[in-house]
Amino acid sequence: MEVAAKNSLLVCTQLECETTEEMQASIEQAKVEGADLVELCIDSMEFSHISEVDKLIQHPTLPAIVSYSDEACKNTCLQVLRRALDLDVEFVEMDYEVASDPLMSEIIYSRSNTKIIVSSYLNGGGKPTTEKLGDVIACMQATGADVMKLEIAVDSITDLAPVFEMLTHCQVPLIALAVGSRGLISQLLGPKFGGFLVYGSLGGKSVPGLPTLVSLKQVYQLEHINPDTKIFGLVSNPVGHSKGPILHNPAFRHTRFNGIYVPMLVDDVKEFFRTYSGTDFAGFSVGIPHKEPAVACCDEVHPLAKSIGAVNTIIRRPIDGKLVGYNTDCESAISAIEDALRERQGINGVASHTSPIAGKIFVLVGAGGAGRALAFGAKSRGARVIIFNRNYERAKALADAVSGEALHFEYLHEFFPEKGMILANASAIGMEPNSDQSPVPKEALKAYELVFDAVYTPRNTRLLREAAEVGATVVSGVEMFIRQALGQFRLFTGGLAPEDFMRKLVLEQF
């Protein structure tokens, strides 16, 4: 399944500035970052005379959408929009209520070259449905709109399913913008379902529900997306830390596979898989806190993943649409630890063909999905597994499953029955934004021969820095990330993964 030719998708950014000078500077920055057009939110500006707006509209360096949405200043709104129409700006955007005004209706029908975008903001009134959205679209279309825009407040990622259906079937160009962090895929997947344009934020600014302009152009390259593109993504909460998109999307393009990989902020994993059950949604990485609950969402589970009780990868099998769960965390983490220990032992002249983990005390922090993978992997190599978790009952249950031992979390800092142990952090302690934290004090790290941290943002966590300072071999979560991602990519595409390309990409980005 090869990458398609480029489509005619437009990438836009909304500009809200107080002065003409600031607006012009932002337009120039948008151009540098790859925007195809800009939305000039005139209601954000402070101006004393309409002539100031004229200057902005008459000499743009990018095609523009002129919008004014301050309902409290209706006269100014009408004046600005009329002036934009007189000056033949590329697009004028107005609220449905403004477009329905008899005075504006006359102007709309007598315009020359300007395209009219009529927008409607939906907030409250329950979850969006195809019927509700269809009614709103019909009302907007009746105004004579050339393009329609739906701006929707969503409470869940599953609220977007009827929006995608509207994009697919709408006869008039439609823009869909879902507000809030759970609406991000409305922009990233909009082109697949027929969206007229997508929005990105300027200057790397973090805006909930919006990708950055730079990521749209460099990471996602949505101009290659088409109706046949297969959707993959990280099902997690949170998802902001994920480096998956900067790895999988370039790898898809490198191998000419027609796919896109996006972050999916999911609250209810069962509802998510019930909602997005079509073959377009072809595969998923599964992250915190869904690795264990997602097992129940699968029609089939690979034996290793079943024994672990957690999946980190789910594939929708093309021949029958069934969801099949896998765990690539286990082998990637354990093999990374083994390779590092073999290298250390090789340097000391103590090479061995058996697992260097065998017989060692393997101290595990965390009993979630990643913790389970590490526990089962360590057990399979003959290690003695000791588990610490803030929830002791979870630690005890996992310890029983791997014939290990569970201890209360508060004893972790004073646990050193012998030297040469292995420490593996599978908790979120030390992950950004709490990168100043560590699960184990520096002094206690002297008892460990090797320290592994599944956290990969930041790459060099406080735990790893302090472990290296006391002489331990350290293994970053980045290495586990690379190895499990290679396994996932093979499952996603049904083929080989470009290992050298993907490894180089990750190491450059972290």
Side-chain angles (χ1 to χ4, degrees):
M1 187 171 60
E2 292 198 348
V3 174
K6 290 184 179 181
N7 58 42
S8 57
L9 176 75
L10 297 173
V11 174
C12 181
T13 190
Q14 292 176 316
L15 304 181
E16 297 182 351
C17 305
E18 291 186 1
T19 67
T20 303
E21 291 74 20
E22 289 175 355
M23 194 73 87
Q24 288 171 332
S26 293
I27 293 171
E28 290 302 322
Q29 185 180 354
K31 188 175 182 179
V32 169
E33 292 185 16
D36 300 306
L37 72 164
V38 289
E39 179 179 337
L40 308 177
C41 301
I42 305 299
D43 51 291
S44 68
M45 294 177 60
E46 295 179 0
F47 57 91
S48 55
H49 194 270
I50 193 69
S51 60
E52 295 178 48
V53 179
D54 285 3
K55 282 188 230 175
L56 191 63
I57 297 173
Q58 285 175 316
H59 304 290
T61 55
L62 277 176
I65 301 170
V66 171
S67 68
Y68 196 106
S69 58
D70 188 348
E71 295 180 8
C73 303
K74 186 175 181 182
N75 289 336
T76 305
C77 171
L78 292 173
Q79 184 183 19
V80 167
L81 297 181
R82 280 177 188 158
R83 189 64 185 142
L85 288 166
D86 290 341
L87 293 172
D88 277 346
V89 71
E90 286 81 8
F91 296 93
V92 166
E93 179 183 332
M94 59 188 74
D95 294 339
Y96 169 69
E97 291 75 13
V98 174
S100 302
D101 186 292
L103 291 174
M104 186 54 73
S105 296
E106 290 179 22
I107 298 170
I108 289 174
Y109 282 103
S110 63
R111 72 190 184 279
S112 53
N113 299 317
T114 300
K115 300 292 185 185
I116 301 297
I117 302 174
V118 175
S119 60
S120 184
Y121 179 67
L122 303 181
N123 184 17
K127 287 181 176 291
T129 63
T130 52
E131 292 78 14
K132 186 186 298 184
L133 297 179
D135 290 342
V136 173
I137 288 171
C139 291
M140 290 193 292
Q141 193 170 353
T143 65
D146 299 297
V147 182
M148 297 175 295
K149 178 180 174 182
L150 282 173
E151 195 166 345
I152 308 168
V154 295
D155 297 320
S156 167
I157 194 170
T158 54
D159 292 346
L160 292 168
V163 176
F164 293 143
E165 190 172 341
M166 288 295 104
L167 284 172
T168 301
H169 298 294
C170 190
Q171 300 301 307
V172 176
L174 179 62
I175 302 165
L177 177 59
V179 180
S181 53
R182 285 156 182 79
L184 178 62
I185 63 170
S186 71
Q187 300 311 291
L188 299 180
L189 301 184
K192 171 181 169 61
F193 296 105
F196 179 69
L197 64 77
V198 298
Y199 284 95
S201 63
L202 187 65
K205 183 181 178 184
S206 178
V207 179
L210 287 187
T212 63
L213 278 178
V214 171
S215 72
L216 286 174
K217 287 296 182 179
Q218 295 182 4
V219 177
Y220 296 103
Q221 295 189 17
L222 299 183
E223 64 270 20
H224 294 293
I225 305 305
N226 64 34
D228 296 324
T229 300
K230 292 299 183 183
I231 299 166
F232 303 86
L234 171 65
V235 174
S236 186
N237 188 356
V239 292
H241 68 285
S242 173
K243 304 296 185 185
I246 64 174
L247 177 61
H248 287 293
N249 288 302
F252 284 149
R253 292 191 292 271
H254 183 77
T255 57
R256 299 193 62 76
F257 183 86
N258 190 5
I260 184 171
Y261 185 99
V262 299
M264 299 171 170
L265 181 55
V266 173
D267 300 296
D268 185 331
V269 70
K270 289 183 179 179
E271 182 189 16
F272 174 82
F273 284 114
R274 274 197 307 268
T275 302
Y276 295 109
S277 58
T279 55
D280 283 330
F281 289 82
F284 312 89
S285 307
V286 184
I288 296 172
H290 301 312
K291 292 187 179 190
E292 294 167 81
V295 172
C297 301
C298 298
D299 299 297
E300 297 177 16
V301 180
H302 186 272
L304 174 63
K306 185 178 286 188
S307 67
I308 294 171
V311 295
N312 78 320
T313 312
I314 296 177
I315 303 299
R316 192 179 304 281
R317 194 161 52 200
I319 56 171
D320 56 13
K322 289 186 180 297
L323 294 176
V324 185
Y326 299 87
N327 193 303
T328 66
D329 282 338
C330 178
E331 187 59 30
S332 16
I334 295 300
S335 66
I337 292 170
E338 287 179 322
D339 288 349
L341 281 172
R342 286 193 179 105
E343 185 177 342
R344 180 184 178 109
Q345 292 171 354
I347 293 171
N348 294 331
V350 190
S352 172
H353 296 293
T354 61
S355 172
I357 295 175
K360 287 185 174 291
I361 292 180
F362 190 97
V363 176
L364 175 63
V365 182
R372 294 186 69 84
L374 279 156
F376 277 86
K379 177 200 174 186
S380 73
R381 302 306 207 266
R384 294 176 286 160
V385 181
I386 312 293
I387 302 169
F388 292 86
N389 191 65
R390 284 200 170 109
N391 183 326
Y392 175 76
E393 295 307 317
R394 282 177 66 88
K396 183 71 168 63
L398 179 54
D400 290 345
V402 296
S403 303
E405 183 180 355
L407 296 175
H408 289 279
F409 189 80
E410 54 267 30
Y411 299 140
L412 175 60
H413 69 284
E414 56 188 42
F415 180 77
F416 34 85
E418 62 183 56
K419 291 206 167 187
M421 299 186 295
I422 296 168
L423 173 67
N425 176 38
S427 73
I429 300 171
M431 182 186 291
E432 292 176 349
N434 301 311
S435 54
D436 60 329
Q437 298 178 2
S438 175
V440 180
K442 182 176 180 179
E443 187 64 27
L445 293 173
K446 293 178 180 178
Y448 296 95
E449 180 181 4
L450 179 142
V451 174
F452 166 80
D453 197 342
V455 171
Y456 62 84
T457 52
R459 177 179 180 177
N460 194 22
T461 61
R462 178 181 173 183
L463 172 64
L464 294 183
R465 290 196 309 272
E466 293 183 344
E469 288 168 6
V470 299
T473 295
V474 297
V475 180
S476 167
V478 172
E479 184 59 33
M480 174 184 172
F481 173 76
I482 292 171
R483 295 183 186 212
Q484 63 84 24
L486 288 166
Q488 287 186 336
F489 193 88
R490 296 182 189 105
L491 291 169
F492 288 163
T493 62
L496 296 175
E499 181 168 351
D500 291 343
F501 175 82
M502 292 175 74
R503 182 174 289 279
K504 180 173 181 287
L505 196 64
V506 171
L507 294 177
E508 286 175 350
Q509 294 287 344
F510 279 77

